[in-house]
Amino acid sequence: EAYRRASGAHGSKATNFLRVHAEEDIGHTDSAFNSIKELDAPTIDLVFQNYEESLYLYRLLLNKADAEKQRVGIHTRSSELSC
């Protein structure tokens, strides 16, 4: 769904990365969570602490990139792609 909407708004060339991961990563998340379930409780806690910290930092990176896009005056139709 995300790829369809993004490619409709931005074209297939601009969304190739999303297409590849949408098609090739099917089941990848399930496999990762199944592997994590095999770990002991303290290690699972560390894995998810790292997950939360990585998610926070990635959001900061994206927000900074978006602010820079705004600052230099680049306008896109990305507001059509709400998550």
Side-chain angles (χ1 to χ4, degrees), residues 2-21:
Y3 170 71
R4 184 187 62 74
R5 292 175 63 197
S7 64
H10 303 288
S12 62
K13 192 171 186 178
T15 56
N16 188 54
F17 177 85
L18 184 58
R19 179 192 60 78
V20 168
H21 288 281

Side-chain angles (χ1 to χ4, degrees), residues 9 11 14 32 36 40 44 48 74-76 82-83:
I36 291 168
D40 59 74
I44 290 173
F48 282 99
I74 297 172
H75 303 287
T76 66
S82 62
C83 295

